[in-house]
Amino acid sequence: MTDHSKTVVNLMYTASVIGDRISDVLKPFDVTSPQFNVLRILRGQKGKPANLSTIQERMIHKMSNTTRLVDKLIAKDYVNRCTCEQNRRKIEIYITNEGLKALAKMSEAVHKAEKEIIKDLSPKDLEEFNMLLEKLRN
């Protein structure tokens, strides 16, 4: 295996391991990683509505079915969906107070897991690693 192939496989494997660990942390909350991502996006709107395309653009997993994710979060009373009064074709999505409370608990658990995942990396390692990852995305 070439060095570049080994590096790409290593990145993919590591991403999968980290994804699995975060999924395990979210399981007790009955929320998937993409649902957690939607909640964080909506919290970032700071009370302003988002539409499906805005959420889709900001998703980590671009292949996620955003409509289905939102429907599942509505069923949990974490988000609301309503029709815009000025433009009846526009659907607006808000995070509920219940969603904000649940997200705060989830975020605390995820933050703890993230700290555990990177515990062996120094601040300098993290800075260099983030720079390299950003370089790969450009």
Side-chain angles (χ1 to χ4, degrees), residues 73-90:
L73 292 170
I74 288 170
K76 295 174 183 170
D77 196 33
Y78 290 166
V79 304
N80 280 331
R81 175 179 41 213
C82 59
T83 305
C84 175
E85 291 184 16
Q86 290 80 16
N87 179 352
R88 306 284 300 154
R89 292 176 292 170
K90 186 176 174 187

Side-chain angles (χ1 to χ4, degrees), residues 2 24-25 28 34 37 43 46-47 51 60 65 70 74 91 101 103 108 119 124 128 130 137:
T2 63
D24 288 346
V25 168
N37 191 204
R43 178 182 61 195
K46 300 186 187 316
N51 57 40
I60 293 171
N65 181 338
V70 168
I74 288 170
I91 303 297
K101 288 178 198 168
L103 181 57
E108 188 177 317
K119 73 179 186 292
K124 185 173 177 11
E128 290 175 12
N130 280 311
R137 287 195 302 269

